[in-house]
Short mmCIF file of all heavy atoms in Angstrom, two decimals:
data_model
loop_
_atom_site.label_atom_id
_atom_site.label_comp_id
_atom_site.label_asym_id
_atom_site.label_seq_id
_atom_site.Cartn_x
_atom_site.Cartn_y
_atom_site.Cartn_z
N HIS Q 101 22.80 63.05 -15.73
CA HIS Q 101 22.27 64.16 -14.97
C HIS Q 101 20.85 64.58 -15.30
O HIS Q 101 20.25 64.26 -16.35
CB HIS Q 101 23.14 65.44 -15.31
CG HIS Q 101 24.42 65.48 -14.62
ND1 HIS Q 101 25.24 66.58 -14.55
CD2 HIS Q 101 25.12 64.51 -13.79
CE1 HIS Q 101 26.32 66.39 -13.89
NE2 HIS Q 101 26.28 65.08 -13.39
N MET Q 113 21.80 71.22 -11.92
CA MET Q 113 21.85 69.81 -12.36
C MET Q 113 22.41 68.92 -11.31
O MET Q 113 23.18 69.34 -10.45
CB MET Q 113 22.58 69.70 -13.66
CG MET Q 113 24.09 70.14 -13.63
SD MET Q 113 24.80 70.10 -15.23
CE MET Q 113 26.42 70.52 -14.83
N HIS Q 135 20.34 64.85 -19.23
CA HIS Q 135 21.43 64.87 -20.20
C HIS Q 135 22.54 63.96 -19.67
O HIS Q 135 22.54 63.58 -18.57
CB HIS Q 135 21.98 66.28 -20.37
CG HIS Q 135 22.44 66.99 -19.13
ND1 HIS Q 135 21.52 67.60 -18.25
CD2 HIS Q 135 23.66 67.19 -18.51
CE1 HIS Q 135 22.15 68.10 -17.20
NE2 HIS Q 135 23.50 67.81 -17.32
N MET Q 137 26.48 63.87 -18.91
CA MET Q 137 27.53 64.88 -18.62
C MET Q 137 28.89 64.21 -18.81
O MET Q 137 29.21 63.22 -18.21
CB MET Q 137 27.40 65.28 -17.07
CG MET Q 137 27.98 66.61 -16.85
SD MET Q 137 26.86 67.91 -17.37
CE MET Q 137 27.89 69.18 -17.50
CU1 LIG I 210 25.03 68.04 -16.12
#
Side-chain angles (χ1 to χ4, degrees):
H101 279 191
M113 59 185 185
H135 58 279
M137 204 78 203

